């Protein structure tokens, strides 16, 4: 829907700003955007943002529809492994950050992560987002920065950073992006590889925005509680 597309545009723009700030401080960030071929249309706004920002676009073709024919869903859903392997194969950094497409980042995001990884280089990070509800249709990166610290805390996890060379060693099986329990599966895989170590950060470095009520205050809206998958 339009609200979700708006959130995607905000996310990509926020990553562009945060990466540019990090690069001025000696922290190199290369962004890999993973999508299906039908989403990689030259005229689409998200592709324009990726091109303007210098993000690399990687297309994938396999989905649950081909690999798990007994699985029924109205849209093509990728496996978590596909996205992480795209970052592992096409990225250049020592660390890999995975985030959902509707989770924006604040300007100091990469700088704060880099500082933390200097102190604990082999400990994966999970960042807890800030939730902004009842946002205007014009909400963007500038508003998110101005609203920072005034949003709702979110109990879930949807952004992680860990050494990039861990990707082939993570056991994720048939974990699908877009289906509940994605966070649980990735958290367990990272815990298994890190000897149960995980650093949880919540200094308002990531955010999510909705024009209506937030699932934080209205848990009955959460897909995990209503979707039979």
């Amino acid at each position: 829907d339009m609200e979700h597309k708006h959130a995607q545009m905000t996310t990509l723009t926020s990553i562009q700003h945060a990466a540019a700030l990090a690069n001025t401080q000696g922290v190199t960030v290369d962004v890999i955007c993973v999508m299906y071929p039908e989403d990689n249309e030259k005229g689409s706004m998200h592709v324009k943002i990726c091109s303007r920002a210098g993000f690399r676009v990687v297309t994938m073709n396999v989905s649950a529809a081909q690999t798990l024919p007994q699985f029924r869903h109205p849209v093509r859903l990728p496996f978590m492994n596909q996205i992480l392997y795209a970052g592992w194969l096409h990225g250049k950094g020592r660390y890999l950050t995975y985030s959902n497409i509707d989770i924006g980042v604040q300007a100091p995001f990469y700088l704060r992560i880099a500082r933390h990884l200097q102190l604990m280089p082999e400990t994966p990070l999970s960042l807890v987002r800030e939730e902004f509800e009842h946002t205007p249709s014009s909400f963007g990166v500038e508003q998110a920065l101005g609203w920072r610290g005034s949003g709702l805390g979110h109990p879930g996890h949807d952004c992680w950073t860990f050494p990039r060379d861990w990707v082939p060693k993570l056991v994720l099986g048939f974990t699908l992006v877009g289906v509940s329990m994605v966070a649980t599966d990735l958290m367990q895989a990272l815990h298994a590889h890190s000897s149960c170590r995980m650093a949880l950060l919540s200094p308002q470095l990531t955010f999510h925005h909705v024009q209506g009520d937030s699932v934080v205050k209205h848990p009955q809206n959460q897909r995990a509680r209503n979707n039979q998958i």
Side-chain angles (χ1 to χ4, degrees), residues 5-162:
K5 289 181 179 179
H6 180 206
Q8 293 178 6
M9 301 305 101
T10 303
T11 296
L12 291 171
T13 303
S14 70
I15 291 174
Q16 179 185 3
H17 289 191
L21 177 61
N23 288 335
T24 65
Q25 302 296 315
V27 177
T28 303
V29 178
D30 52 290
V31 181
I32 312 296
C33 297
V34 188
M35 61 186 73
Y36 285 116
E38 60 267 29
D39 297 321
N40 188 22
E41 299 177 356
K42 292 184 178 180
S44 61
M45 184 57 67
H46 60 272
V47 173
K48 289 181 179 178
I49 294 176
C50 291
S51 176
R52 184 169 62 246
F55 299 165
R56 180 165 187 176
V57 174
V58 175
T59 57
M60 56 185 175
N61 291 307
V62 178
S63 70
Q66 292 86 27
T67 309
L68 301 173
Q70 71 275 22
F71 181 82
R72 296 290 184 267
H73 199 276
V75 299
R76 297 178 74 183
L77 296 179
F79 293 99
M80 173 67 80
N81 270 331
Q82 290 178 272
I83 298 176
L84 296 185
Y85 265 84
W88 177 63
L89 289 170
H90 300 283
K92 301 176 183 177
R94 179 179 176 185
Y95 296 95
L96 184 148
T97 295
Y98 166 82
S99 178
N100 293 342
I101 188 58
D102 59 345
I103 305 302
V105 302
Q106 296 286 10
F109 176 78
Y110 294 110
L111 293 176
R112 292 291 298 273
I113 286 180
R115 174 56 179 163
H116 192 89
L117 292 173
Q118 285 181 329
L119 301 174
M120 304 175 68
E122 295 299 316
T123 301
L125 305 177
S126 175
L127 296 103
V128 181
R129 76 180 190 235
E130 186 175 20
E131 185 91 358
F132 301 129
E133 63 175 358
H134 305 302
T135 58
S137 58
S138 60
F139 190 88
V141 175
E142 294 79 9
Q143 290 88 348
L145 184 60
W147 288 25
R148 188 180 180 192
S150 64
L152 301 168
H154 192 273
H157 304 267
D158 37 39
C159 182
W160 295 265
T161 296
F162 51 90

Side-chain angles (χ1 to χ4, degrees), residues 158-213:
D158 37 39
C159 182
W160 295 265
T161 296
F162 51 90
R164 187 165 62 92
D165 61 8
W166 284 15
V167 171
K169 306 167 189 175
L170 299 178
V171 180
L172 289 166
F174 292 113
T175 299
L176 286 170
V177 175
V179 177
S180 303
M181 305 304 290
V182 171
T184 300
D185 288 356
L186 184 53
M187 290 284 279
Q188 289 179 345
L190 291 172
H191 274 118
H193 192 70
S194 66
S195 301
C196 293
R197 293 178 300 161
M198 177 80 69
L200 305 180
L201 299 182
S202 56
Q204 293 93 37
L205 289 176
T206 58
F207 65 89
H208 178 254
H209 64 93
V210 293
Q211 295 180 13
D213 293 329

